[in-house]
Amino acid sequence: MNTREFIQLEEQFGAHNYHPLDVVLTIGSGAWVWDVEGKKYLDCLSAYSAVNQGHCHPAILSAFTEQAQRITLTSRAFRNDKLPLLYQKLHELTGYDTALPMNSGAEAVETAVKAARKWGYMVKGIPDGEAEIICASNNFHGRTTTIVSFSTEDSYRKNFGPFTSGFRIVKFGNIESLRTAITKNTTAFLVEPIQGEAGIIIPPEGYLREAARLCKENNVLLIADEIQSGLGRSGKMFAFEYEGIRPDAVIIGKALSGGFYPVSAVLSTKEVLGVFSPGEHGSTFGGNPLAAATAIAALDVLVDERLFERSAELGKYFLEKLQAIDSPLIKTVRGRGLWIGLELTTAARPYCEALMKEGILCKETHSTVIRFAPPLVITKEEIDWVVEKLERLL
Ligand SMILES: *Cc1c(COP(=O)(O)O)cnc(C)c1O
């Protein structure tokens, strides 16, 4: 079958909830992917940062296939011999005491919302049913009905109501907005340290530090959604490290899988995640041995290959090269680590399509921003090649 035939089948039988570029991928290796016609592309999206380690990383592949041949799913009705090792690894790497594993990012966000609410009632003493969670404008935390309840994006919400109540929106990056939104019933502030889907939006210096201080002062949990920003994408393990803070809970997903298998987690303290008793929360696949073995290998690759440092160094190099491009089409270029938003003065989609023809895969976000988020194993020479093509195009 060729590209046209695959696309036709997909359009005919699949729901149209995405608008992908018309490239049908069949092989991936490191920073590169190949389509069904045999054409090669440099991946500058990394599956929204789920393949930070590069496609089909051999060490993760081998952990994954080895585990797949032993046992894949036990459910949490029984214990397995991989989940405890993942817990230990997460603790060693992040310092957080306790973890709760789920599958998708959205499920981990839901888990954090439930934990924060229950903590609000059990520990903080908020009257039953009155807990409030504060979220930021232009946030992206996933697609469940509860999560889109606190989205400010019309297309994420329209016709999906009625919504879950108990959420309040503040202006992202504006500390006064947060200060005035906190009440005695506020249980948590849920925030992306850098907003990814919004277009790689970095808040003003000091914002997160001040937010952490406000949360502490008011006995409010600070919950960082690091599903996209975390695990090396921003040039550190977590983007919140740039502000020297330590959130009460961190949500991870995406690159925790190395792209192999959905796995996510909430990391926090015994006080917060300790609010769950048996039977109150769970998932059939959450914490399964295949996911745990995969995640352990995915984390090991990030550390062993120094991908955090690599992201910081190459990200800086890439950003400076992009900032040096002189074109009236460029409005701004911003980023941290290998996570860069190039904002155009015009629609980004045609440029993503043109880049695809040149062998570079990018996806627009919020219509005018091209996001560059290549696998962290990309080389300097490959970055030069991308910049050269882009410069000619713009
Ligand atoms: C991708 C993403 C999610 C949702 O993760 P899924 O695995 O798609 O459910 C949540 N928060 C952030 C910041 C994300 O980038």
Side-chain angles (χ1 to χ4, degrees), residues 68-110:
Q69 289 170 5
R70 293 176 64 88
I71 190 167
T72 52
L73 182 61
T74 55
S75 85
R76 298 286 302 278
F78 312 118
R79 297 178 191 266
N80 71 67
D81 64 355
K82 287 297 173 312
L83 183 57
L85 306 182
L86 174 60
Y87 285 151
Q88 182 180 38
K89 176 126 307 194
L90 287 170
H91 169 67
E92 282 169 4
L93 279 180
T94 69
Y96 283 94
D97 286 345
T98 311
L100 196 160
M102 295 297 279
N103 312 287
S104 69
E107 284 172 296
V109 172
E110 289 272 354

Side-chain angles (χ1 to χ4, degrees), residues 104-106 109 140-142 192 197 225 227-228 254:
S104 69
V109 172
F140 183 82
H141 297 289
E192 299 157 84
E197 292 314 294
D225 181 344
I227 291 170
Q228 190 166 159
K254 294 203 167 113

Side-chain angles (χ1 to χ4, degrees), residues 259-313:
F260 277 81
Y261 188 92
V263 46
S264 62
V266 180
L267 312 177
S268 187
T269 57
K270 296 219 181 302
E271 178 182 294
V272 174
L273 288 174
V275 299
F276 288 121
S277 301
E280 292 179 351
H281 187 60
S283 156
T284 303
F285 280 81
N288 74 70
L290 184 56
T294 305
I296 291 168
L299 290 167
D300 280 342
V301 166
L302 292 173
V303 175
D304 294 347
E305 299 188 9
R306 300 180 67 251
L307 293 183
F308 308 132
E309 293 86 345
R310 198 182 168 88
S311 173
E313 286 158 23

Side-chain angles (χ1 to χ4, degrees), residues 28-48:
S29 176
W32 294 87
V33 291
W34 283 259
D35 73 9
V36 291
E37 316 291 339
K39 185 174 171 189
K40 177 181 174 184
Y41 305 84
L42 189 66
D43 181 2
C44 283
L45 181 64
S46 308
Y48 300 96

